[in-house]
């Protein structure tokens, strides 16, 4: 960070951005030192999980001396101080505890050890707090106070939900609507009418529950805290949090798949959920595919712009990225050395001696593909009779939602298939399938993983599936083969070291079983080593640390990227206007001088023609300004010439159409400012593609008269076609605006045309005194913001020269100089070639225009007429919050008000 010019402690951040930058550097250094520090505070910080010894061993928590920042990382001072830990508020539907009431004011708590719990245990640089529902209904105040107190000792904070809210929110909207849809099962089909009738009440309960979570977060939030929201239960939470405190750091992570936009669009609340998630600063998914689906849904459903970084919405960028979760691999590796696990291993080896062991560990759920797995095993036994007494499939199916009819039906189906296969291929002493309808304890599960030869995972759709990771972590000696569904998120991480299958293709899965059982040892070891390296390096702790670190960094990058443009000081702009002698008003047209957007659009159920029209309240004001001989007005627009003619033919001003490529005074002829050597051959190639375009030199008005979301879809299809065809090798830039796609020759911008425009104005008016006041206002695209830098008096000479000469013809001719009022000559080294050609007025209305070239002449250099001081330059962006302009005008109404003030102002005499 730059050093302070003031006499202050250089370690004291002068702004919120500097403070965040300092925190980021300290966090990075903290992580580096954690690698070298010995365990010191691990037992103290692991109190939350004190009943699980496997999670409290060798956890490091290193202290970090506070770094002093001025010009950079200069060293360390104050070594007696520790870096305070940043608080992390983890918000999930369920707390990692099971609560059992033992009396009126007494509760027994049991910690649940899972992937997220172990992941956050490794975050020693953060002070984590859990916020969530305890899983029990506590209607009385005494019980709530007692539970809150008991959970506080475990660093947990409860959200109390009543039974009706839980039924409508959790059992209803979450599990019956969102969860099936996100796993490509569609919306409920049975009792469709009753489901439709209750949908709104379920959605209302969902929003209510999310607001209750938000209220608890705000109650415990402290400035600087990071809030990490988890899963589809809390998609509304980011919006609820940001509405009350826009500065809160919010991340949201989805632990399930995110479906394609075609699936997500079936959801009646599709827009609400997407908009709510976009309120977060960072949105995370397990895989790139899920992240891509989310961005696509925002683009196709909300009509927003997707970028490589994420989704941009009204100037705010929500970062979207993939963060594949892992497991605490060390916990599984260490467990294999425990005596009780070794005993289990020995017992299992004796029990299945002489037989290859295949293993499936799944929840009994529709998405896990258990019937498909068993049917594939049956086909394998049919086609390979020599293996019938040499292999056994152990299927662990953990019961879930046993009260739901669909799950009961699935359980019956699985039992029926298993019974049929065992009856067909079993003997009096052995059966090919051992099916267990229960879970196993951790030690028994580790032993089972260790003796397995082939793990079979056939998920029909799975967010990640960490069973595959656990299997790999326990296979150091066996080096078994992993058969993995391509529809599991883990396939993108472990696919290179596994046999990927389509679980719906029973024959393919059966063939993969045969390949796995017959795989040579060296190939097995090679595949295992690949996956083992990934599992042991991409751990759950690393996943959590990466996400939280990226969230912090995202906030900093947003601060650096988004400069808050202050409102225009209208009074100052008017005063400077009155004190000047020769003024230039460079004004945009669309969204600047046009009537407000809300007066256009839909009328009577039909889309009105979105023809740009001059704001009705500005006409008299504009005439008054045009009549002032000391004021020069230029309308600089991307619109075509006909549009500008229709709106400004009665005014005494200059019109620069199609990004300045065509110029004329309102009383003169159109001429082109295009350099003679500019290659426009690509225009003909575009025309030959028979695209339905309104084409001028540089602009394709693709969807100005269509519904926004449909037009955006059309524009993307057209761009894909153009890039692979007509303009694939052309020197062109493609710029997408609010309602248009522009294809321009490289370097064609509004800013690049200004110098030539000014030169023509100087020649036409015979201007003798320099321009000493400039107001430049418009709703310009990012590509065209060099309009502001062209006039910027405070730019370095090199930058200013670049801004004024970018993309112009390298062949330069000498330029004439204009003396200022004191007869001094401003010598400029810039040289430009101009070729100004008039066009037949009737010709530009057709697509097949042909310029009639008049004499080429050397014109006065436009920039040489400027004698502009910083206090007399007012660059204003209209309605765009992110801009290189100095000031902001919030709407075209503000532009009208400003111009009225200028027109009605009088010099004090």
């Amino acid at each position: 960070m730059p050093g302070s010019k003031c006499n202050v402690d250089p370690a004291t951040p002068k702004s919120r951005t500097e403070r965040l930058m300092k925190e980021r550097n300290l966090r990075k250094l903290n992580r580096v030192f954690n690698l070298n520090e010995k365990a010191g505070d691990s037992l103290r910080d692991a109190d939350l999980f004190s009943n699980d010894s496997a999670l409290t061993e060798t956890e490091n928590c290193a202290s970090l001396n506070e770094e002093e920042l001025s010009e950079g990382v200069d060293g360390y001072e104050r070594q007696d101080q520790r870096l305070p830990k940043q608080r992390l508020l983890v918000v999930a539907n369920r707390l990692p505890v099971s609560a059992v009431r033992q009396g009126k004011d007494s509760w027994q708590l049991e910690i649940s050890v899972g992937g997220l719990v172990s992941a956050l245990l490794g975050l020693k640089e953060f002070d984590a707090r859990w916020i969530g529902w305890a899983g029990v209904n506590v209607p009385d105040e005494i019980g709530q106070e007692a539970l809150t107190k008991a959970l506080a000792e475990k660093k947990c904070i409860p959200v109390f939900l009543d039974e009706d809210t839980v039924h409508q929110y959790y059992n209803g909207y979450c599990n019956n609507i969102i969860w099936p849809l996100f796993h490509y099962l569609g919306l409920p089909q049975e009792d469709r009418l009753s489901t439709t009738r209750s949908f709104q009440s379920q959605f209302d309960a969902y929003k209510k529950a999310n607001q209750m979570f938000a209220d608890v977060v705000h109650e415990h939030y402290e400035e600087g805290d990071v809030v990490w929201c988890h899963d589809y239960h809390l998609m509304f939470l980011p919006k609820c949090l940001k509405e009350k405190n826009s500065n809160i750091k919010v991340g949201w992570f989805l632990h399930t798949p995110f479906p394609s936009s075609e699936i997500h669009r079936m959801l009646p609340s599709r827009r609400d959920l997407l908009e709510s998630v976009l309120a977060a600063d960072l949105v995370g998914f397990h895989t790139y595919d899920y992240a891509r689906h989310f961005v696509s849904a925002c683009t196709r459903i909300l009509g927003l712009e997707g970028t490589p970084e994420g989704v941009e919405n009204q100037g705010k960028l929500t970062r979207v990225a993939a963060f594949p979760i892992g497991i605490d691999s060390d916990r599984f590796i260490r467990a294999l050395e425990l005596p009780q696990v070794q005993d289990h291993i020995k017992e299992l080896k004796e029990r299945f001696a002489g037989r290859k062991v295949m293993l499936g560990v799944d929840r009994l759920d529709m998405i896990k593909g258990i019937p498909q797995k068993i049917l594939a095993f049956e086909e394998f036994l049919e086609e390979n009779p020599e293996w019938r007494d040499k292999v056994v499939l152990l299927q662990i199916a953990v019961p879930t939602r046993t009260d739901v009819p669909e799950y009961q039906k699935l359980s019956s189906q699985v039992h029926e298939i298993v019974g049929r296969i065992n009856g067909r291929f079993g003997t009096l002493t052995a059966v090919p399938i051992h099916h267990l309808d229960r879970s196993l304890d951790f030690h028994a599960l580790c032993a089972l993983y260790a003796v397995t030869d082939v793990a079979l995972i056939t998920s029909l759709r799975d967010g990640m599936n960490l069973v595959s990771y656990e299997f790999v972590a326990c296979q150091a000696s066996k080096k078994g083969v992993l058969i993995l569904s391509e529809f599991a998120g883990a396939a993108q991480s472990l696919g290179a070291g596994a046999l990927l299958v389509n679980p719906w293709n029973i024959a393919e899965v059966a063939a993969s079983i045969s390949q796995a059982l017959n795989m040579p040892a060296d190939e097995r070891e090679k595949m295992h080593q690949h996956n083992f390296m990934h599992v042991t390096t991409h751990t759950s702790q690393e996943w959590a640390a990466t996400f939280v670190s990226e969230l912090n960094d995202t906030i900093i990058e947003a601060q650096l990227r988004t400069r808050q443009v202050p409102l225009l000081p209208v009074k100052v702009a008017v005063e400077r206007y009155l004190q000047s002698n020769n003024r230039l008003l460079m004004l945009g047209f669309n969204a600047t001088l046009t009537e407000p957007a809300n007066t256009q659009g839909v009328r009577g159920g039909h889309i009105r023609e979105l023809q740009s029209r001059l704001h009705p309240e500005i006409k008299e004001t504009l005439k008054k300004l045009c009549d002032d001989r000391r004021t020069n007005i230029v309308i600089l627009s991307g619109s075509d010439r006909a549009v500008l003619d229709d709106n400004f033919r009665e005014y005494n001003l200059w019109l620069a159409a199609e990004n300045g490529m065509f110029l004329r005074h309102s009383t003169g002829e159109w001429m082109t400012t295009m350099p003679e050597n500019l290659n426009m051959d690509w225009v003909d190639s575009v025309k030959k593609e028979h695209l339905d375009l309104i084409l001028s030199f540089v602009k394709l008005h693709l969807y100005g008269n269509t519904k926004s979301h449909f037009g955006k879809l059309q524009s993307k299809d057209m761009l894909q076609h153009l890039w692979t065809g007509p303009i694939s090798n052309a020197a062109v830039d493609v710029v997408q605006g609010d309602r248009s796609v522009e294809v321009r020759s490289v370097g064609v911008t509004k800013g690049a045309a200004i110098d030539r425009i000014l030169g023509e104005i100087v020649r036409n008016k015979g201007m003798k005194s320099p321009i000493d006041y400039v107001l430049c206002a418009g709703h310009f695209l990012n590509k065209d913001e060099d309009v502001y830098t062209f006039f910027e008096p405070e730019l370095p000479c090199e930058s200013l020269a670049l801004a004024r000469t970018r993309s112009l013809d390298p062949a330069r001719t000498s330029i004439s100089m204009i003396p200022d009022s004191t007869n001094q000559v401003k010598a400029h080294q810039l040289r430009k070639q101009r070729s100004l050609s008039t066009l037949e007025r009737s010709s530009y209305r057709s697509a097949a225009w042909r310029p009639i070239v008049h004499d080429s002449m050397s014109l006065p250099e436009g920039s040489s007429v400027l004698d502009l001081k910083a206090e007399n330059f007012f660059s204003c962006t209209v309605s765009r919050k992110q801009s290189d302009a100095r000031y902001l005008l919030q709407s075209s109404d503000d532009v009208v008000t400003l111009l009225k003030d200028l027109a009605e102002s009088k010099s004090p005499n």
Side-chain angles (χ1 to χ4, degrees):
M1 302 299 295
S4 174
K5 297 180 181 179
C6 306
N7 186 22
V8 297
D9 181 357
T12 303
K14 302 185 294 299
S15 67
R16 182 169 184 266
T17 301
E18 286 192 28
R19 176 171 58 79
L20 291 170
M21 287 287 288
K22 179 176 180 179
E23 291 175 359
R24 175 168 70 170
N25 284 304
L26 290 174
R27 284 195 305 274
K28 289 182 177 179
L29 286 171
N30 195 12
R31 286 198 294 272
V32 171
F33 281 106
N34 274 338
L35 298 176
N36 299 319
E37 293 277 343
K38 294 183 178 180
D41 302 326
S42 59
L43 295 178
R44 182 196 65 203
D45 289 335
D47 288 342
L48 174 59
F49 313 104
S50 56
N51 67 329
D52 190 336
S53 61
L55 292 179
T56 60
E57 298 174 1
T58 66
E59 298 287 354
N60 297 333
C61 181
S63 62
L64 178 66
N65 298 320
E66 183 172 347
E67 177 189 4
E68 298 294 330
L69 296 179
S70 55
E71 295 286 342
V73 182
D74 295 328
Y76 299 97
E77 297 179 6
R78 306 180 184 177
Q79 296 193 10
D80 58 329
Q81 297 187 15
R82 285 177 178 266
L83 172 67
K85 291 183 179 181
Q86 184 179 27
R87 294 210 324 166
L88 174 64
L89 303 182
V90 181
V91 191
N93 176 62
R94 286 291 300 270
L95 291 173
V97 297
S98 297
V100 178
R101 194 164 189 171
Q102 293 186 321
K104 189 174 183 180
D105 58 354
S106 177
W107 291 86
Q108 179 184 353
L109 303 180
E110 181 178 349
I111 303 299
S112 305
V113 179
L116 186 56
V117 176
S118 60
L120 297 176
L121 178 65
L123 292 180
K124 290 304 175 180
E125 59 191 288
F126 297 96
D127 181 12
R129 299 283 193 278
W130 287 79
I131 297 177
W133 177 49
V136 292
N137 180 36
V138 190
D140 60 298
E141 188 173 333
I142 295 177
Q144 291 183 4
E145 291 179 355
L147 181 57
T148 300
K149 184 177 180 180
L151 289 171
E153 298 177 1
K154 305 296 183 183
K155 297 187 177 180
C156 294
I157 302 168
V159 177
F160 293 105
L161 305 175
D162 59 76
E163 286 187 347
D164 183 64
T165 300
V166 170
H167 176 69
Q168 295 269 19
Y169 147 72
Y170 181 67
N171 297 327
Y173 194 77
C174 291
N175 289 339
N176 283 340
I177 304 294
I178 298 182
W179 189 90
L181 196 73
F182 278 20
H183 288 85
Y184 292 79
L185 299 179
L187 294 174
Q189 296 299 312
E190 297 181 7
D191 302 322
R192 182 171 53 183
L193 294 179
S194 63
T195 300
T196 304
R197 284 198 301 268
S198 64
F199 172 82
Q200 189 58 47
S201 63
Q202 292 178 6
F203 186 52
D204 291 341
Y206 183 84
K207 292 189 290 185
K208 175 185 175 182
N210 275 248
Q211 185 60 57
M212 294 172 71
F213 277 85
D215 293 341
V216 175
V217 172
H218 284 302
E219 182 181 347
H220 294 84
Y221 174 79
E222 298 176 3
E223 185 181 0
D225 288 355
V226 172
V227 181
W228 190 2
C229 311
H230 287 270
D231 230 357
Y232 59 93
H233 312 89
L234 300 176
M235 295 182 73
F236 242 83
L237 185 56
K239 180 180 180 181
C240 296
L241 294 173
K242 288 286 190 176
E243 284 179 343
K244 189 169 183 178
N245 185 353
S246 61
N247 291 326
I248 193 170
K249 302 176 187 178
V250 179
W252 181 80
F253 188 87
L254 182 66
H255 292 267
T256 69
F258 192 90
S260 70
S261 59
E262 287 301 307
I263 298 294
H264 184 80
R265 69 188 298 194
M266 293 193 300
L267 197 62
S269 56
R270 58 193 184 186
R271 295 183 61 89
D272 298 320
L273 294 180
L274 292 175
E275 290 171 347
S276 300
V277 170
L278 286 176
D281 300 292
L282 176 62
V283 176
F285 299 91
H286 281 309
T287 73
Y288 170 76
D289 282 349
Y290 305 158
R292 179 170 53 83
H293 289 164
F294 177 79
V295 173
S296 176
C298 293
T299 300
R300 299 177 69 89
I301 296 173
L302 300 181
L304 301 179
E305 201 65 36
T307 73
E309 295 292 320
V311 178
E312 188 169 350
N313 181 16
Q314 297 180 348
K316 176 186 180 295
L317 177 67
T318 298
R319 186 161 175 229
V320 180
F323 300 89
I325 196 173
I327 63 171
D328 184 2
S329 56
D330 286 344
R331 179 174 182 245
F332 286 86
I333 294 171
R334 292 194 305 266
L336 295 178
E337 305 300 324
L338 298 176
Q340 57 266 49
V341 176
Q342 288 294 319
D343 291 342
H344 276 299
I345 293 175
K346 182 179 179 181
E347 179 183 346
L348 290 170
K349 286 182 176 180
E350 293 175 353
R351 174 69 177 81
F352 299 111
R355 305 177 77 182
K356 294 285 188 179
V357 177
M358 297 179 58
L359 176 65
V361 180
D362 307 279
R363 293 195 326 271
L364 186 61
D365 207 317
M366 279 82 72
I367 66 166
K368 295 299 183 178
I370 297 177
Q372 286 81 359
K373 178 190 306 185
I374 300 173
L375 291 173
F377 184 63
E378 179 183 29
E379 181 162 331
F380 166 75
L381 294 178
E382 287 178 350
E383 296 178 352
N384 301 273
E386 70 278 8
W387 278 100
R388 291 177 184 176
D389 59 349
K390 297 179 182 179
V391 64
V392 59
L393 171 62
L394 308 181
Q395 177 61 52
I396 311 300
V398 181
T400 58
R401 305 183 69 184
T402 55
D403 57 334
V404 178
E406 289 84 354
Y407 287 77
Q408 295 171 355
K409 182 178 179 181
L410 175 63
S411 179
S412 298
Q413 180 186 14
V414 170
H415 290 165
E416 179 183 346
I417 299 173
V418 169
R420 187 186 75 240
I421 295 173
N422 282 341
R424 181 181 177 188
F425 298 106
T427 65
L428 292 175
T429 58
V431 292
I433 301 177
H434 290 246
H435 180 85
L436 278 72
D437 281 322
R438 64 181 180 86
S439 60
L440 297 179
D441 65 70
F442 175 70
H443 296 140
L445 185 60
C446 288
L448 198 52
Y449 284 141
V451 301
T452 296
D453 295 282
V454 177
L456 187 54
I457 297 172
T458 55
S459 304
L460 306 181
R461 192 72 59 173
D462 225 342
M464 179 56 77
N465 194 296
L466 295 179
V467 168
S468 57
Y469 280 64
E470 296 170 357
F471 166 75
V472 171
C474 295
Q475 282 286 307
S477 61
K478 194 80 171 181
K479 296 178 176 56
V481 180
L482 174 64
I483 299 177
L484 182 59
S485 167
E486 63 187 52
F487 299 119
Q492 293 194 20
S493 303
L494 304 181
L499 300 179
L500 295 182
V501 296
N502 177 357
W504 294 101
N505 189 335
I506 302 300
E508 179 186 347
V509 178
S512 295
I513 293 174
S514 177
Q515 181 183 353
L517 291 173
N518 293 287
M519 184 177 292
D522 58 341
E523 187 176 350
R524 290 204 318 269
E525 181 169 0
K526 182 179 179 181
M527 296 178 69
H528 167 74
Q529 288 300 332
H530 180 279
N531 282 346
F532 188 78
M533 179 64 69
H534 181 88
V535 169
T536 54
T537 54
H538 296 77
T539 63
S540 55
Q541 293 88 349
E542 179 67 21
W543 163 78
T546 301
F547 185 91
V548 179
S549 178
E550 287 294 323
L551 175 56
N552 277 306
D553 290 352
T554 297
I555 301 293
I556 298 167
E557 291 164 3
Q559 291 286 328
L560 298 176
R561 181 180 59 248
T562 308
R563 182 175 68 88
Q564 295 296 323
V565 183
L567 294 175
L568 173 70
V570 176
K571 184 177 180 181
V572 175
V574 173
E575 289 176 353
R576 294 292 179 182
Y577 176 84
L578 291 174
Q579 296 170 8
S580 59
N581 297 311
N582 194 7
R583 309 133 178 173
L584 173 65
L585 306 186
M586 184 76 66
L587 304 175
F589 178 50
N590 293 305
T592 304
L593 299 179
T594 53
E595 55 187 333
N598 57 11
T599 64
Q600 307 179 44
V602 178
R603 172 186 289 175
H606 298 283
I607 303 174
R608 293 175 54 191
E609 181 183 1
L610 296 178
Q611 177 67 46
S612 298
R613 296 185 179 89
L614 192 62
H615 197 296
E617 297 182 15
I618 205 175
K619 296 182 178 181
E620 293 300 322
T621 298
L622 196 57
K623 283 186 177 180
K624 193 170 183 179
L625 289 171
C626 290
D627 292 339
D628 187 340
R629 301 188 65 178
R630 293 192 299 166
T631 301
N632 306 280
I633 300 179
V634 178
I635 306 300
L636 180 60
S637 175
S639 299
D640 59 50
R641 288 156 282 165
V643 171
L644 297 189
D645 277 343
D646 290 342
N647 284 279
F648 296 101
R649 59 167 48 98
E650 58 188 282
Y651 299 97
N652 180 28
L653 45 68
W654 288 85
L655 301 176
E658 303 185 28
N659 300 308
M661 294 293 288
F662 294 94
L663 176 69
R664 82 173 179 97
H665 190 270
S666 55
T667 59
E669 298 279 333
W670 281 107
M671 50 193 164
T672 177
T673 65
M674 182 177 64
E676 285 182 334
N677 68 331
L678 190 63
N679 187 348
M680 298 295 291
D681 293 342
W682 59 269
V683 175
D684 293 332
S685 64
V686 170
K687 290 180 181 179
K688 291 177 182 177
E689 294 295 327
H690 306 290
L691 297 175
D692 184 17
L693 306 172
I694 302 173
L695 177 65
S696 64
F697 259 108
V698 292
K699 189 160 186 172
L700 310 177
H701 293 279
L702 181 66
Y703 50 101
N705 298 331
T706 64
K707 289 186 178 180
S708 176
H709 66 279
F710 183 60
K712 286 183 181 292
L713 294 181
Q714 286 184 311
S715 72
K716 292 184 182 301
D717 291 341
M718 187 205 72
L719 285 177
Q720 290 179 0
H721 175 71
L722 286 177
W723 279 124
T724 56
I727 63 174
S728 57
N729 296 313
V732 298
D733 287 328
V734 179
V735 183
Q736 186 160 5
D738 291 337
R739 286 186 171 273
S740 67
V741 171
E742 299 182 14
V743 182
R744 314 174 176 180
S745 290
V746 170
V748 172
T749 65
K750 291 181 172 69
I754 289 179
D755 205 50
R756 287 166 284 172
I757 293 171
L758 290 181
E760 175 62 14
I761 294 175
V762 169
R763 185 190 68 82
N764 183 274
K765 291 188 67 173
M767 190 178 295
K768 301 300 181 183
S769 61
I771 293 173
D772 58 356
Y773 177 95
V774 173
L775 170 67
C776 183
H779 183 82
F780 299 130
L781 302 177
N782 290 336
K783 186 79 174 177
D784 293 322
E785 290 216 331
D786 54 356
V787 170
Y788 305 132
T789 57
F790 178 90
F791 291 106
E792 186 59 65
E794 295 183 347
L795 275 179
C797 296
E798 295 83 358
S799 300
L800 189 58
L802 178 63
R804 292 177 177 175
T805 60
R806 185 183 309 165
S807 78
L808 296 175
D809 183 27
R812 313 295 185 187
T813 59
S814 61
I815 57 175
S816 61
M817 309 298 173
I818 298 181
D820 61 14
S821 58
T822 61
N823 296 322
Q824 294 178 339
V825 178
K826 296 178 66 69
H828 288 264
Q829 299 299 320
L830 303 177
R831 300 172 182 270
K832 293 186 176 58
Q833 174 182 333
R834 279 186 176 46
S835 176
L836 294 169
S837 307
T838 58
L839 300 177
E840 295 283 337
R841 177 178 296 273
S842 59
S843 64
Y844 69 76
R845 296 185 183 274
S846 66
W849 59 267
R850 182 177 60 85
I852 303 175
V853 181
H854 283 201
D855 293 339
S856 178
M857 62 193 74
S858 176
L859 294 177
E861 180 66 34
S863 57
S864 65
V865 77
L866 295 175
D867 185 18
L868 192 60
K869 297 180 180 179
E871 58 267 25
N872 280 1
F873 175 51
F874 297 88
S875 57
C876 307
T877 179
V878 180
S879 77
R880 291 174 60 89
K881 300 300 175 64
Q882 291 184 359
S883 173
D884 291 332
R886 291 185 172 193
Y887 304 109
L888 169 68
L889 291 168
Q890 294 183 326
S891 68
S892 59
D893 290 335
D894 289 346
V895 178
V896 172
T897 302
L898 171 63
L899 295 181
K900 283 184 178 179
D901 290 343
L902 295 179
E904 296 171 2
S905 61
K906 295 182 179 180
S907 301
N909 294 321

